[in-house]
Amino acid sequence: MAAESPQGTLLGYLIYELQDRPALPLRPAETRAMLHHISVTGAWRRMGVGKALVEAMKARALDAGATVIAATYAPFNTASAALMKGMGMEPVLTMAEWRA
């Protein structure tokens, strides 16, 4: 998804996918909208572009049958954390990893 100005300038974009997840012993089957990436052009940050993109994604995902909206972001990314919290999303999983 892309956000454009009336003049056709790219303000930001969002990449997501719908995932049909089968039932597991600990959770029922679900259709999940996974937000993979969101970016807003520097000059347009803190003006509601990211929020508008996430709201549009959520509306499309719900229309497509999604029951979960999810995203991942790095702990140091306070802008993403604030955007997700503002959209009603709360952390539910902490992941740790080691890399060589």
Side-chain angles (χ1 to χ4, degrees):
M1 301 176 66
E4 293 182 357
S5 73
Q7 295 78 25
T9 303
L10 182 65
L11 307 177
Y13 66 90
L14 178 147
I15 299 169
Y16 79 102
E17 74 173 309
L18 291 176
Q19 303 171 339
D20 288 317
R21 297 171 46 144
L24 296 175
L26 297 176
R27 70 162 165 80
E30 65 186 21
T31 299
R32 171 184 294 248
M34 186 67 191
L35 191 164
H36 291 295
H37 189 76
I38 184 169
S39 180
V40 175
T41 303
W44 290 93
R45 291 184 184 149
R46 302 193 55 79
M47 294 188 189
V49 175
K51 182 177 179 180
L53 283 165
V54 175
E55 286 175 343
M57 179 208 79
K58 183 177 178 181
R60 285 186 187 184
L62 293 176
D63 285 345
T67 56
V68 176
I69 309 290
T72 59
Y73 53 88
F76 60 81
N77 192 336
T78 56
S80 286
L83 175 61
M84 299 312 149
K85 184 173 181 70
M87 298 306 298
M89 299 169 68
E90 295 290 338
V92 296
L93 174 69
T94 301
M95 181 178 140
E97 59 184 32
W98 177 90
R99 294 181 184 219

